[in-house]
Amino acid sequence: MTKLSVRHLLGIKNLNENDIQTILDTATQFKEVINRPIKKVPSLRDITIANVFFENSTRTRLSFELAEKRLSADVVNFSASGSSVKKGETLLDTVNNILAMKVDMIVMRHSSPGAPHYLASRIPANVINAGDGTHEHPTQALLDAFSMREQLGDLAGKKIAIIGDILHSRVALSNIFCLQKLGAEVMVCGPSTLIPKFLADLGVKIGHNVKEALQWCDVANVLRIQLERQQIKYFPSLREYSLYFGINKAMLDELDKKIVLMHPGPINRGVELSSDAADSEHSIILNQVENGVAVRMAALYLLAQQ
Ligand code: CP
């Protein structure tokens, strides 16, 4: 099996195309494994992994924990809430204390962009970024690419529209890096206040009309509005956002082709997606969640070989 060019999975920006293809191909093998009656393999039997979460999570955290257990690793889970972080302990002291208990890998989510990079340069363990603020969410982008590849085959030349709050989304940036490295064309669509200007310099198409974006794309990856990261008002109200950028099933049905609908979760039903769209035959949202386990198994397994 090919090795990765990196010791840590900090972002898609640091990966080359071969790394991405290797993770996706390895995930295909692990997906077969976890669909068997006996879902576990002994690959990481001697490895201990800590999931260190300083921000809330449902999908990423459970998916990493399941992936680690399917690989037979020992697993410990840490949440900042209820921990000694509340007594003033620093990030580095917290992680060094976890490592003193003979932990080999750290999976970390943190609200500060760059926090996993800071750790990776200071500790001996492998670090996986499970989302750092508004920066990157590499395993989400990998599972999104894996899910798109299952639907469309090779992504070279395919058209992917990312619709919603691009400015505050780590999923958007990791998706853009990943999809461009795989040869796809990427459009972002949303209110101009929620689209960072630098994306045009990366060759990303910019749009503000959701019907045109849906007509253009093969896949619509829809993002929620991240109100928790917004210090100012970027648009008048969620109702107004929904009116201009919300997607419902009728909008998908009236297209002259069938497109794939994705969302990384959590969905704000009735804002960026209506329930009839989220639960329609266009949607592969729960397939994304299913694929997250196999993709994270692949990332963990390949990093443990470094
Ligand atoms: N997609 C995603 O990161 O979901 P969670 O915040 O629930 O982990």
Side-chain angles (χ1 to χ4, degrees), residues 56-61 109 137 140 264-266:
N56 296 340
S57 170
T58 298
R59 282 146 290 270
T60 310
R61 182 171 169 163
R109 170 168 287 192
H137 192 349
Q140 181 69 45

Side-chain angles (χ1 to χ4, degrees), residues 24-275:
L24 301 186
D25 292 344
T26 307
T28 303
Q29 295 173 36
F30 280 127
K31 187 165 177 178
E32 280 176 34
V33 169
I34 57 181
N35 280 315
R36 291 181 197 151
I38 297 171
K39 300 175 173 60
K40 277 179 96 139
V41 285
S43 313
L44 298 191
R45 201 176 38 203
D46 300 322
I47 302 283
T48 303
I49 304 175
N51 301 313
V52 179
F53 276 64
F54 288 82
E55 265 194 351
N56 296 340
S57 170
T58 298
R59 282 146 290 270
T60 310
R61 182 171 169 163
L62 290 179
S63 177
F64 265 113
E65 186 175 347
L66 272 173
E68 291 151 3
K69 288 179 172 170
R70 301 277 190 250
L71 291 165
S72 305
D74 289 323
V75 180
V76 287
N77 289 303
F78 167 93
S79 285
S81 58
S83 77
S84 289
V85 169
K86 298 290 170 205
K87 302 173 198 163
E89 194 163 32
T90 67
L91 169 62
L92 194 54
D93 279 342
T94 301
V95 172
N96 273 329
N97 277 269
I98 293 170
L99 294 181
M101 300 177 217
K102 307 293 178 212
V103 165
D104 305 293
M105 296 177 85
I106 298 286
V107 174
M108 186 175 75
R109 170 168 287 192
H110 202 284
S111 56
S112 294
H117 305 68
Y118 166 84
L119 262 195
S121 64
R122 286 167 177 79
I123 64 171
N126 306 93
V127 177
I128 298 186
N129 179 3
D132 60 329
T134 56
H135 182 219
E136 282 223 42
H137 192 349
T139 57
Q140 181 69 45
L142 290 163
L143 76 87
D144 287 347
F146 183 91
S147 305
M148 290 178 205
R149 211 172 70 157
E150 275 190 334
Q151 299 294 318
L152 305 174
D154 185 357
L155 295 184
K158 299 294 189 305
K159 294 177 173 170
I160 319 297
I162 306 173
I163 301 170
D165 180 358
I166 311 299
L167 183 66
H168 300 100
S169 173
R170 53 196 175 207
V171 175
L173 194 57
S174 287
N175 259 260
I176 289 165
F177 289 141
C178 188
L179 293 166
Q180 288 191 330
K181 284 175 199 244
L182 295 175
E185 281 185 65
V186 184
M187 172 196 272
V188 293
C189 176
S192 55
T193 48
L194 289 178
I195 297 184
K197 303 282 174 281
F198 75 89
L199 290 182
D201 299 333
L202 299 183
V204 174
K205 210 171 145 66
I206 312 276
H208 305 295
N209 181 314
V210 76
K211 285 192 173 177
E212 285 174 14
L214 293 175
Q215 193 56 59
W216 174 83
C217 71
D218 300 303
V219 177
N221 197 359
V222 182
L223 307 177
R224 76 184 169 92
I225 300 294
Q226 304 209 10
L227 288 177
E228 74 276 23
R229 299 193 200 281
Q230 300 185 10
Q231 308 302 324
I232 59 167
K233 272 195 154 199
Y234 289 86
F235 49 84
S237 68
L238 284 182
R239 192 167 161 270
E240 220 136 345
Y241 177 84
S242 178
L243 205 59
Y244 289 102
F245 294 97
I247 296 171
N248 59 44
K249 186 168 184 292
M251 292 161 71
L252 301 172
D253 288 342
E254 73 191 19
L255 299 172
D256 51 26
K257 59 179 177 180
K258 187 164 189 284
I259 68 163
V260 177
L261 180 69
M262 299 176 62
H263 192 303
I267 304 169
N268 279 335
R269 288 173 184 261
V271 180
E272 70 272 16
L273 277 184
S274 66
S275 277

Side-chain angles (χ1 to χ4, degrees), residues 31 143 146-147 150 287-296:
K31 187 165 177 178
L143 76 87
F146 183 91
S147 305
E150 275 190 334
N287 301 66
Q288 291 173 258
V289 179
E290 179 190 350
N291 289 335
V293 177
V295 168
R296 290 180 173 115

